[in-house]
Amino acid sequence: MDVKQKASGFAVLSAFALAVSKFTVGLMSGSMAVVSSGLDSLLDVFMSAMNFFAIRKAAQPADEGHPYGHAKAESIAGAIQAVVIIFTGGLIIYQAVQEFLYNHGILYSVLDMGVMGLSLTFSLVISLVLKTVGRRTGSNALKADALHYASDLYSNSAAILAIFLTYYTGKSFFDITFAICTGLIIMFSATKILREGISGLMDSRIPKHLEDEIESILGEMSFPYAGYHKLRTRFSGNEKYVDFHLLTCRELKVDEAHELAHRVEDRIKARISTIDVVIHLEPCTYECQLTEMTCFLIRTRGKRPR
């Protein structure tokens, strides 16, 4: 089990423990803020479990039916997460409105505060773990899950504040208001998750700073490298793909040009993780004296074809 699967498994177990405690306390006290937070934690269990299996699927190597691998499984998981999160946020708001209309009584105890305080701490820890591993591995599924748990920080904080205000004022208005805020926060966070999931499915380009890194690597190459053009990038899950036409001195032999392409590929992979590089070789058509000096002068004058 790799680090991504361990992080996802940790999130599943933690969210399950929180969901059980929140539902138990919330149903005992009648607090919609606590129950809504418990529903959110139950959703976390489902989402993190789905991420766990999506990450396992994405880690499988390419096969005959999937020659480009299974990396998009993470993007699919992210998109599904977003849809379910939006639905859950709407459900929380609906329940809060129903509570306001029928004006059910709410009984709070010190246990309410304890459970929500524990939830706040766990949400912070889980979010930091997932965010750290997601950034290190480039996993969109983990980064989306981290964003979801980050939204829990706001919803749990709102629930604690609602408990405090309702307990000391006796007004259930605070509980209902913060439950609605929780639903809105959840729905808002889902929009970013949905965009990232769809981007992964639509073969969007990799982040600009990574493209700049690739161009920087190409710019460092020396003769008989002569330039490049038709650079394209995309990402699928946490996998990144780049292809471009590599221009070489037209005097190079095929095996020499092939060796040069390998050096370029190795340099890119050494500086950017989980990237697949495809290079199409082309002879440079620019007229020069076929020497390193004249090629360098042409390139530094900004005449290098790209």
Side-chain angles (χ1 to χ4, degrees):
M1 184 180 294
D2 63 17
V3 65
K4 292 194 296 182
Q5 294 179 40
K6 289 179 180 178
S8 185
F10 168 73
V12 172
L13 295 177
S14 300
F16 179 75
L18 285 176
V20 172
S21 61
K22 287 179 184 178
F23 271 121
T24 301
V25 174
L27 292 175
M28 289 174 59
S29 66
S31 168
M32 274 306 303
V34 178
V35 171
S36 66
S37 186
L39 184 61
D40 188 37
S41 291
L42 188 62
L43 176 66
D44 292 342
V45 176
F46 170 73
M47 293 302 174
S48 294
M50 182 175 62
N51 274 343
F52 178 79
F53 290 108
I55 289 171
R56 288 188 61 182
K57 184 66 176 179
Q60 294 179 3
D63 53 38
E64 185 177 352
H66 305 86
Y68 289 97
H70 305 81
K72 286 190 177 181
E74 291 192 29
S75 297
I76 294 173
I80 294 175
Q81 276 193 68
V83 174
V84 177
I85 291 170
I86 291 173
F87 172 79
T88 303
L91 181 61
I92 290 174
I93 294 174
Y94 171 78
Q95 290 178 326
V97 172
Q98 290 293 104
E99 189 71 21
F100 174 76
L101 293 176
Y102 292 101
N103 194 25
H104 295 153
I106 300 175
L107 298 175
Y108 284 117
S109 68
V110 177
L111 190 58
D112 292 323
M113 294 290 290
V115 169
M116 296 311 298
L118 181 65
S119 175
L120 190 66
T121 302
F122 265 81
S123 294
L124 176 62
V125 173
I126 296 171
S127 178
L128 290 176
V129 169
L130 294 177
K131 185 176 182 179
T132 300
V133 178
R135 282 183 173 178
R136 186 192 309 165
T137 61
S139 171
N140 287 330
L142 287 182
K143 287 187 285 187
D145 215 13
L147 177 63
H148 187 198
Y149 282 102
S151 71
D152 289 348
L153 294 176
Y154 298 104
S155 63
N156 290 332
S157 298
I160 291 175
L161 186 57
I163 292 171
F164 180 82
L165 292 174
T166 304
Y167 181 80
Y168 284 100
T169 65
K171 303 292 184 180
S172 61
F173 171 80
F174 295 107
D175 183 82
I176 296 167
T177 300
F178 284 117
I180 292 176
C181 290
T182 298
L184 292 175
I185 290 172
I186 291 172
M187 295 176 73
F188 177 77
S189 65
T191 59
K192 184 175 182 180
I193 297 175
L194 182 60
R195 285 198 302 269
E196 291 183 353
I198 292 176
S199 293
L201 295 174
M202 295 295 291
D203 291 334
S204 298
R205 66 194 302 176
I206 65 176
K208 188 177 185 304
H209 73 276
L210 292 180
E211 287 191 347
D212 292 341
E213 181 76 9
I214 294 172
E215 292 186 345
S216 174
I217 294 170
L218 294 174
E220 295 169 358
M221 298 299 296
S222 59
F223 184 83
Y225 162 76
Y228 70 94
H229 61 190
K230 295 186 178 180
L231 175 68
R232 300 185 302 177
T233 66
R234 67 182 179 92
F235 72 88
S236 175
N238 68 320
E239 298 290 334
K240 296 172 282 290
Y241 299 86
V242 58
D243 63 82
F244 56 90
H245 291 196
L246 182 70
L247 304 178
T248 64
C249 179
R250 60 181 180 275
E251 290 295 298
L252 280 186
K253 297 179 181 179
V254 174
D255 57 341
E256 293 173 333
H258 186 257
E259 176 61 27
L260 175 62
H262 267 296
R263 292 205 303 270
V264 174
E265 180 180 353
D266 291 342
R267 288 193 183 187
I268 293 175
K269 288 184 175 180
R271 287 164 62 172
I272 301 177
S273 62
T274 61
I275 188 168
D276 182 82
V277 183
V278 176
I279 300 174
H280 173 74
L281 289 170
E282 285 188 9
C284 179
T285 59
Y286 199 89
E287 293 297 331
C288 71
Q289 298 175 19
L290 304 178
T291 65
E292 181 173 0
M293 179 56 67
T294 55
C295 184
F296 173 77
L297 291 175
I298 291 170
R299 289 162 59 184
T300 54
R301 288 173 187 162
K303 296 180 180 179
R304 178 177 57 176
R306 291 193 174 188

